[in-house]
Amino acid sequence: MNNKYIDLIDQTYFFPQEEFTLENEHLKFHDIPLKVLVEKYGSPLKFTYLPKISENIARAKNWFANAIEKNDYKGKYHYCYCTKSSHFQHILHETLKNDIHIETSSAFDINIVEQLKKDGKLKDSAYVICNGFKREQYIENIARLINNGHKNCIPIIDNYEEIDLLSDAIEDTFKIGIRIASEEEPKFEFYTSRLGIGYKNIVPFYENQIKDNDKVELKMLHFFINTGIRDNAYYWNELVKCLKVYTRLKKICPSLDSLNIGGGFPIKNSLAFEYDYQYMIDEILNQINITCQEADVPVPHIFTEFGSFTVGESGGAIYEILYQKQQNDREKWNMIDSSFITTLPDTWAINKRFIMLPINRWNDEYERVLLGGLTCDSDDYYNSEQNMNAIYLPKYKRDKPLYIGFFNTGAYQETIGGYGGLQHCLIPQPKHVLIDKDADGNLTYELFSPQQKAEDLLSILGYETEKSVKKTSDTSINNKITSNV
Ligand SMILES: Cc1ncc(COP(=O)(O)O)c(C=O)c1O
């Protein structure tokens, strides 16, 4: 009978795959022996495989180069990394090995940009595209960056007041973009995204606030579809609507020469994942060519801001199955040694799917299970709703430890989960290991952060521990209040 876990995978998917292979009955991910990794560092454990970041950037650049050639496209392509998907220095340093640009979303991002420039990682000529709703600190930081000479910083105007705020803070002339507020998919609870400026208002906005403003040069139209770059009627419809705005604006605004199509490239979330990246890019450039030709305007340079696509496939999380609770004759709960809510928050918040596979025991019989996290929250689970099919794992055996891995978890999970901060039910944040390749192609390992300790959490909570810094009370406020009285 074919009842081993490996048989199940063989019958359901093409396996092995490029990044997933087996050695004996142990899983390897990009040649990383995961069982050895977990034996060395222990579980739970998060890891980042840095080379995958550069690999994905190269893949995207290559698809765009092919599409430019195929469509005889006259514009250039610029790859920006959307920092909010993972702000860590090791991630930024890896991305910037590939001569790319940066997209920011809030004030402190600019401090990161300044640090990267100081460290010689980000070129002075790199584009820094500043998205997001801009208030005092963000405006101040953008202005400082531009006033210090970073001419290729392009704030993307998200609301009507931003031009005045920036004009007051920036000494010289500066470039801007405008974000188009896309119409949401019909099933969504809102009609129009809160981000950006509505389609119909873009041309009047240009006429009223930009055209006669000598300080401002409009360079870019920005367009981001929340649901990503998908081959469906909604995406193509929104793209064409955006292109119509571009051509209308280009006719009255000669400085406009760039179109930013945002992020939204999907990543592999199942062993059955299929997506034709090359076709999508070919077709996007084809649509731009057609619309611009019809309107008789030159095609724009293209910018993208891939976040998930850049870092998502570099990350993974490994847990041990601690125990099995059989709650009735159909439901077996395999309890992991951490929490889904805190370590993979998207599984809980937006029902996101990740690839989940056992790390060891592939030659053992399998069973259908539910996966539960350690917090006392009933939502701390991962089940078949998130994981395309029901979850099957090698049978739980008390004396044979079972480890499982979640893969392609490298985007957004750390920042949304509040890395280094408080964790639900105080389940500590796992250790994090960075994996790279040396000049000879050998894998290297570095512990980036250990597992959180009790004193880390107690100190955040205000308890006096050896770790907590003595707080100085702010008497100046009291003095002010007393003197006013
Ligand atoms: C303006 C903008 N650009 C880029 C991205 C990155 O999207 P993704 O991670 O899907 O590539 C986002 C994500 O929210 C965004 O809001």
Side-chain angles (χ1 to χ4, degrees):
M1 233 176 69
N2 296 337
N3 56 1
K4 294 182 196 163
Y5 184 80
I6 181 146
D7 300 325
L8 174 75
I9 294 293
D10 261 346
Q11 287 155 7
T12 322
Y13 307 104
F14 290 110
F15 194 89
Q17 302 195 351
E18 202 184 326
E19 67 281 49
F20 293 108
T21 51
L22 270 196
E23 189 171 79
N24 302 320
E25 55 167 353
H26 299 151
L27 184 68
K28 282 179 147 190
F29 178 61
H30 295 288
D31 261 351
I32 305 161
L34 299 168
K35 180 79 185 334
V36 179
L37 185 72
V38 85
E39 275 163 6
K40 181 167 159 60
Y41 290 99
S43 160
L45 151 73
K46 283 203 159 188
F47 67 86
T48 303
Y49 174 62
L50 292 164
K52 183 64 183 160
I53 294 170
S54 290
E55 187 189 314
N56 270 10
I57 296 174
R59 286 165 78 205
K61 283 186 169 187
N62 197 32
W63 293 321
F64 272 93
N66 293 340
I68 283 174
E69 198 182 321
K70 181 173 169 197
N71 287 286
D72 192 21
Y73 193 81
K74 300 292 183 226
K76 291 201 178 96
Y77 169 61
H78 302 287
Y79 189 111
C80 306
Y81 170 55
C82 160
T83 59
K84 67 173 162 277
S85 47
S86 182
H87 293 98
F88 289 96
Q89 174 179 274
H90 49 263
I91 302 286
L92 266 298
H93 283 189
E94 184 68 31
T95 61
L96 291 170
K97 285 178 187 167
N98 300 281
D99 194 19
I100 60 154
H101 309 271
I102 297 279
E103 185 243 351
T104 67
S105 39
S106 74
F108 298 167
D109 261 329
I110 304 296
N111 300 84
I112 294 182
V113 165
E114 288 171 328
Q115 180 72 40
L116 291 168
K117 283 179 59 132
K118 196 167 133 226
D119 296 343
K121 299 285 177 186
L122 184 70
K123 285 200 236 158
D124 290 340
S125 58
Y127 286 102
V128 177
I129 311 292
C130 305
N131 266 303
F133 193 86
K134 295 169 203 66
R135 274 296 168 246
E136 228 169 299
Q137 185 70 61
Y138 198 10
I139 296 274
E140 189 185 315
N141 290 2
I142 292 171
R144 186 177 64 243
L145 187 67
I146 297 176
N147 290 339
N148 285 339
H150 202 100
K151 295 292 174 206
N152 277 343
C153 175
I154 309 185
I156 305 294
I157 302 304
D158 188 78
N159 70 69
Y160 296 111
E161 286 180 13
E162 285 174 7
I163 293 200
D164 286 343
L165 296 172
L166 286 162
S167 300
D168 287 345
I170 298 170
E171 288 150 12
D172 208 344
T173 56
F174 60 99
K175 302 177 178 121
I176 58 161
I178 306 178
R179 178 160 181 170
I180 297 186
S182 54
E183 307 283 311
E184 298 289 0
E185 254 186 310
K187 62 176 188 225
F188 210 62
E189 57 193 305
F190 314 114
Y191 294 120
T192 310
S193 158
R194 72 178 189 288
L195 307 156
I197 289 171
Y199 285 97
K200 295 195 183 90
N201 300 326
I202 301 265
V203 171
F205 175 53
Y206 171 75
E207 300 269 14
N208 298 334
Q209 283 200 45
I210 303 174
K211 200 169 97 188
D212 298 323
N213 184 337
D214 291 341
K215 271 188 103 164
V216 174
E217 187 187 28
L218 177 62
K219 291 290 282 181
M220 178 180 285
L221 209 52
H222 183 288
F223 151 85
F224 177 64
I225 294 288
N226 186 22
T227 46
I229 299 180
R230 309 268 157 175
D231 187 15
N232 58 25
Y234 165 66
Y235 182 78
W236 296 119
N237 196 30
E238 287 302 302
L239 178 69
V240 169
K241 261 164 50 189
C242 164
L243 292 172
K244 293 260 157 68
V245 178
Y246 181 87
T247 54
R248 233 178 295 144
L249 203 52
K250 175 72 188 168
K251 286 186 175 168
I252 52 173
C253 173
S255 62
L256 178 71
D257 64 4
S258 300
L259 178 71
N260 187 332
I261 57 170
F265 251 2
I267 60 170
K268 189 166 169 177
N269 62 358
S270 134
L271 291 184
F273 174 80
E274 271 184 43
Y275 182 86
D276 193 341
Y277 294 94
Q278 184 70 68
Y279 159 77
M280 287 303 290
I281 297 168
D282 285 349
E283 197 46 33
I284 290 171
L285 294 200
N286 181 35
Q287 290 297 328
I288 302 175
N289 259 346
I290 293 172
T291 316
C292 288
Q293 243 163 37
E294 274 170 8
D296 199 19
V297 300
V299 295
H301 302 304
I302 304 294
F303 287 69
T304 57
E305 305 163 343
F306 298 134
S308 298
F309 180 78
T310 313
V311 286
E313 294 180 352
S314 70
I318 299 179
Y319 309 106
E320 182 179 354
I321 303 298
L322 286 181
Y323 186 68
Q324 187 174 74
K325 288 179 89 173
Q326 175 131 15
Q327 297 299 64
N328 56 46
D329 46 358
R330 285 184 49 211
E331 290 171 344
K332 291 176 185 162
W333 281 97
N334 275 9
M335 302 295 297
I336 63 161
D337 56 354
S338 187
S339 154
F340 291 114
I341 289 189
T342 61
T343 60
L344 297 177
D346 278 349
T347 61
W348 156 72
I350 54 171
N351 270 0
K352 198 173 171 67
R353 289 178 193 137
F354 294 106
I355 297 176
M356 192 282 298
L357 292 167
I359 302 296
N360 59 333
R361 299 185 45 206
W362 279 56
N363 288 335
D364 285 17
E365 281 180 39
Y366 62 85
E367 63 186 346
R368 186 175 178 166
V369 295
L370 303 165
L371 286 175
L374 276 189
T375 67
C376 56
D377 203 304
S378 57
D379 279 325
D380 198 353
Y381 67 90
Y382 187 82
N383 77 352
S384 51
E385 272 169 39
Q386 291 111 323
N387 198 34
M388 214 140 26
N389 305 301
I391 292 177
Y392 292 95
L393 281 175
K395 278 191 174 170
Y396 173 75
K397 294 212 169 100
R398 194 179 268 274
D399 55 346
K400 276 177 105 180
L402 175 63
Y403 298 98
I404 58 170
F406 282 73
F407 299 93
N408 299 350
T409 61
Y412 301 106
Q413 302 316 293
E414 269 55 53
T415 35
I416 294 176
Y419 180 91
L422 287 180
Q423 309 287 325
H424 192 20
C425 288
L426 304 190
I427 304 298
Q429 183 189 285
K431 59 192 80 65
H432 197 124
V433 177
L434 302 184
I435 307 172
D436 206 346
K437 274 189 178 163
D438 66 16
D440 300 324
N442 299 316
L443 292 166
T444 62
Y445 300 87
E446 181 198 336
L447 181 65
F448 174 68
S449 59
Q451 177 161 308
Q452 265 183 325
K453 298 190 192 67
E455 61 257 36
D456 298 331
L457 293 163
L458 263 65
S459 150
I460 299 173
L461 288 166
Y463 295 95
E464 289 229 354
T465 64
E466 272 175 29
K467 193 183 159 104
S468 45
V469 183
K470 273 240 166 307
K471 294 185 190 94
T472 47
S473 45
D474 186 357
T475 48
S476 63
I477 294 181
N478 286 342
N479 291 344
K480 219 175 248 164
I481 292 171
T482 359
S483 65
N484 282 344
V485 175

